[in-house]
């Protein structure tokens, strides 16, 4: 989840503290935000998230094969929340209390979303700045705005190594353990019966390939601290759904993902109260989207927990990737919803990555249309791939030996129609092969290798096809260039000069 950054501090590095190595995939939100569970209905009556099924209207859109339980015939909805509700899911957003006076911000949030997560206002430092002295002013402001506008609220977050107030940072061992359970009890008691779902524990596993727990003061209090936190949460509000939430755990093959899976499986086997798992889904060059995300969601759901996408943002806001993530959730019956981490790009903790569905001025981006189309049951599958044939060589753009390894340099080869020569030019300017690998420039200068790499939405993976047959890299402004005309000739970037080795026919 994105983390909160205290005023005056440097960028939030995500799950790790400031001394840790940079985590390009980690979340750190402006003001320091952690993810929360989905929201609750008005204070007096809790309504289940899963109960948001709206009345179906007349009109036929067609059944979506991606949905496990497709909606009945219905007309396409015009907002994200209404479209998601057709399949009994929510579409949510992270809200900052300090932006609730911004009419453009609140207008979009109210119109488009059915769930709200407080970015930072329900975190530890915000709710208990001094030991034993709780402060719910900012959290209640977000909560009240949400329920007054008919939104559910997710609670985020109760036990976390980051954004601890100074008094908690100085504790350890049994005293810290008691402070943790007291905090969980105090916050959940305040919101008892009001918040449907809580991120009880956040980001407890280490980055990298170890599959180990993160070294934190909470972990050093004893390896059972996560179990203790969940049991305390269940005692504080027996009706609330209890979630574990983490980042960079979307790729099923990741050691961190497997470690989290083993913990959840163990908890379910031993009766530790855990109801749901949140996948933050901050996709970027350090943590690219992988098509096996659907496998991850399905595997966790098979353990008997709900799953959700809790802090979605995608560097470059690739419409294709946003649609893929949406369809991944729709394909898993126990995926209850999606939350994007912020309204407009300017509200994002990574605003320089332009990772959200709305531009700074509040206008909708192509990614918005891709998500809405997917939620409404439209196909987000790219049109069948075609070949990219060199004008001078009459040979095709080819991935050597049908490799799927990131960094494999692309070559020319006799055209044969294999999948390693089938390229799809997507709406956001990518050339995709195998569905999830992109034509990628390894730099911006003359001679830069052109390779395949997991799609992540960067400008070095976007290409402009011109009427003169040239294909120009959006980031570099240089042309796709063949170093020769025979089989095995490699592809590079080079200054455009209209040579036949820089002209291509895209079929």
């Amino acid at each position: 989840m994105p983390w909160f950054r205290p005023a005056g501090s440097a960028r939030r590095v995500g799950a790790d503290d400031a001394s840790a190595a940079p985590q390009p995939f980690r979340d750190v939100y402006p003001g320091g935000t952690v993810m929360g569970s989905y929201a609750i209905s008005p204070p007096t009556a809790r309504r289940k998230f899963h109960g948001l099924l709206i009345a179906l209207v007349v009109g036929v859109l067609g059944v979506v094969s991606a949905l496990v339980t497709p909606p009945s015939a219905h007309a396409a909805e015009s907002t994200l929340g209404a479209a998601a509700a057709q399949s009994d899911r929510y579409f949510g957003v992270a809200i900052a209390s300090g932006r609730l006076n911004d009419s453009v911000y609140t207008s979009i949030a109210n119109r488009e979303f059915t769930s709200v997560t407080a970015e930072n206002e329900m975190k530890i430092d915000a709710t208990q700045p001094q030991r034993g002295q709780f402060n719910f002013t900012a959290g209640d402001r977000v909560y009240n705005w949400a329920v007054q506008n008919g939104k559910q609220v997710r609670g985020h977050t109760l036990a976390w190594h980051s954004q601890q107030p100074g008094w908690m940072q100085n504790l350890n061992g049994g005293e810290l353990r008691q402070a943790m359970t007291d905090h969980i009890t105090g916050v959940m008691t305040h919101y008892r019966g009001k918040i449907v779902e809580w991120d009880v524990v956040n980001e407890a596993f280490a980055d990298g390939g170890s599959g180990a727990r993160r070294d934190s003061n909470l972990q050093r209090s004893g390896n059972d601290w996560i179990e203790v936190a969940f049991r305390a949460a269940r005692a504080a509000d027996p009706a609330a759904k209890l979630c574990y939430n983490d980042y960079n755990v979307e790729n099923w093959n990741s050691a961190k993902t497997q470690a989290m899976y083993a913990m959840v499986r163990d908890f379910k086997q031993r009766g530790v109260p855990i109801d749901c798992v949140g996948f933050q889904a901050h996709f970027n060059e350090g943590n690219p989207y992988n098509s096996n995300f659907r496998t991850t969601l399905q595997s966790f759901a098979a353990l008997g927990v709900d799953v959700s996408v809790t802090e979605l943002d995608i560097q470059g806001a690739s419409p294709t990737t946003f649609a893929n993530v949406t369809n991944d959730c729709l394909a898993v019956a126990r995926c209850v919803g999606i939350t994007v981490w912020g309204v407009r790009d300017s509200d994002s903790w990574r605003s320089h990555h332009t990772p959200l569905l709305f531009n700074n001025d509040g206008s909708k981006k192509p990614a918005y249309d891709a998500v809405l189309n997917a939620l409404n049951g439209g196909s987000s599958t790219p049109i069948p791939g075609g070949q990219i044939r060199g004008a001078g060589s009459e040979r095709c753009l080819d991935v050597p030996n049908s490799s799927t390894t990131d960094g494999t340099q692309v070559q020319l080869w006799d055209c044969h129609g294999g999948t390693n020569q089938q390229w799809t030019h997507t709406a956001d300017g990518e050339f995709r092969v195998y569905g999830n690998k992109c034509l990628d420039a390894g730099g911006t200068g003359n001679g830069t290798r052109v390779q395949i790499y997991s799609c992540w939405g960067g400008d070095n993976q976007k290409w402009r096809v011109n009427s003169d047959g040239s294909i120009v890299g959006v980031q570099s402004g240089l042309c796709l260039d063949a170093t020769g005309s025979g089989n095995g000739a490699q592809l590079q970037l080079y200054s455009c000069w209209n040579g036949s080795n820089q002209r291509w026919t895209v079929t």
Side-chain angles (χ1 to χ4, degrees):
M1 70 180 1
W3 314 7
F4 141 79
R5 163 174 47 180
S9 69
R11 62 182 286 277
R12 172 189 122 172
V13 70
D16 304 294
D17 58 24
S19 63
Q23 309 290 332
F25 38 86
R26 289 253 16 186
D27 331 338
V28 183
Y29 313 173
T33 243
V34 195
M35 208 58 275
S37 341
Y38 27 93
I40 166 180
S41 59
T44 54
R46 171 188 320 241
R47 59 176 187 245
K48 283 187 172 180
F49 245 143
H50 247 33
L52 282 178
L53 187 61
I54 62 169
L56 300 177
V57 288
V58 179
V60 177
L61 183 64
V63 176
V64 186
S65 60
L67 291 174
V68 170
T69 53
S72 305
H74 57 76
E77 295 290 349
S78 60
T79 65
L80 301 172
Q86 295 172 128
S87 61
D88 199 18
R89 290 171 172 84
Y90 67 86
F91 205 95
V93 65
I95 291 291
S97 62
R99 293 190 173 95
L100 291 178
N101 292 325
D102 181 332
S103 60
V104 175
Y105 180 91
T106 54
S107 175
I108 296 171
N110 190 27
R111 180 187 75 224
E112 296 289 343
F113 303 103
T114 53
S115 170
V116 163
T117 299
E119 285 197 24
N120 296 294
E121 291 80 356
M122 293 185 186
K123 292 179 180 176
I124 310 170
D125 56 353
T127 52
Q128 195 179 178
Q130 302 297 325
R131 189 170 188 178
Q133 298 179 18
F134 289 90
N135 185 338
F136 298 107
T137 303
D140 285 351
R141 187 179 186 210
V142 172
Y143 173 81
N144 291 335
W145 181 89
V147 297
Q148 286 165 9
N149 288 284
K151 318 298 179 189
Q152 304 261 6
V153 180
R154 296 189 76 251
H156 180 77
T157 183
L158 298 169
W160 188 27
H161 71 276
S162 186
Q163 280 183 250
Q164 295 179 4
W167 65 265
M168 182 175 281
Q169 295 174 29
N170 294 325
L171 301 181
N172 54 60
E175 189 176 12
L176 174 63
R177 179 69 62 87
Q178 186 62 53
M180 177 190 76
T181 57
D182 289 346
H183 179 80
I184 292 170
T185 301
V187 175
M188 292 191 73
T189 298
H190 177 79
Y191 289 108
R192 182 168 177 155
K194 298 179 178 180
I195 289 184
V196 172
E197 176 180 290
W198 276 101
D199 288 332
V200 178
V201 173
N202 194 48
E203 301 171 356
F205 287 91
D207 296 314
S210 70
R213 293 277 187 88
R214 178 185 304 281
D215 181 25
S216 68
N217 61 348
L218 290 168
Q219 179 62 30
R220 290 190 294 273
S221 75
N223 200 55
D224 64 339
W225 75 273
I226 300 177
E227 177 176 345
V228 169
F230 275 89
R231 292 192 184 280
R234 177 66 87 225
D237 188 350
K241 294 172 64 177
L242 309 180
C243 304
Y244 177 80
N245 188 58
D246 216 324
Y247 68 96
N248 287 8
V249 287
E250 296 79 24
N251 187 331
W252 177 243
N253 298 321
S254 162
K256 187 175 181 180
T257 305
Q258 291 300 311
M260 184 174 80
Y261 178 84
M263 181 192 74
V264 175
R265 181 178 57 193
D266 172 63
F267 280 10
K268 294 300 290 185
Q269 290 173 345
R270 293 193 296 110
V272 177
I274 183 170
D275 306 304
C276 39
V277 177
F279 298 83
Q280 292 180 18
H282 297 287
F283 292 118
N284 51 54
E285 57 190 324
N287 179 46
Y289 168 80
N290 189 297
S291 59
N292 70 22
F293 182 34
R294 187 174 301 188
T295 298
T296 303
L297 294 174
Q298 291 168 333
S299 299
F300 276 84
L303 294 177
V305 293
D306 287 345
V307 294
S308 57
V309 179
T310 53
E311 300 178 24
L312 179 63
D313 51 29
I314 299 171
Q315 185 170 357
S318 160
T320 300
T321 306
F322 262 109
N324 286 342
V325 173
T326 303
N327 280 323
D328 288 341
C329 180
L330 291 172
V332 179
R334 294 198 69 157
C335 185
V336 296
I338 297 172
T339 296
V340 289
W341 207 252
V343 177
R344 305 160 297 193
D345 285 338
S346 54
D347 307 312
S348 169
W349 63 289
R350 285 182 169 161
S351 57
H352 59 293
H353 283 173
T354 60
L356 296 176
L357 299 175
F358 295 88
N359 293 305
N360 295 351
D361 63 0
S363 58
K364 299 170 183 176
K365 298 165 71 170
Y368 172 94
D369 297 324
V371 171
L372 184 63
N373 181 55
L375 292 171
N376 274 322
S379 172
S380 65
T381 305
I383 59 173
Q387 295 175 329
I388 303 176
R389 187 185 297 262
S393 65
E394 288 299 314
R395 291 187 165 88
C396 282
L397 213 61
D398 176 282
V399 183
N401 303 314
S402 297
S403 173
T404 58
T405 303
D406 285 347
T408 300
Q409 190 166 7
V410 179
Q411 63 179 6
L412 290 180
W413 201 263
D414 293 333
C415 300
H416 54 68
T419 56
N420 64 324
Q421 292 186 352
Q422 297 295 310
W423 302 88
T424 298
H425 196 210
T426 69
D428 45 327
E430 299 165 333
F431 275 110
R432 289 189 171 226
V433 65
Y434 313 133
N436 65 343
K437 299 292 181 179
C438 277
L439 192 66
D440 177 287
T444 57
N446 281 338
T448 293
R449 63 189 285 128
V450 173
Q451 58 195 4
I452 61 166
Y453 210 87
S454 297
C455 301
W456 62 276
D459 284 347
N460 67 316
Q461 294 186 343
K462 295 178 181 177
W463 306 85
R464 187 172 61 251
V465 179
N466 297 317
S467 58
D468 63 359
S470 64
I471 297 178
V472 175
V474 169
Q475 183 183 62
S476 65
L478 302 180
C479 275
L480 182 65
D481 178 287
T483 59
S485 58
N487 280 337
Q490 295 184 326
L491 276 295
Q492 63 178 6
L493 291 180
Y494 211 83
S495 298
C496 302
W497 63 280
N498 200 36
S500 62
N501 66 322
Q502 293 186 348
R503 295 200 305 274
W504 310 87
T505 300
V506 180
T507 61

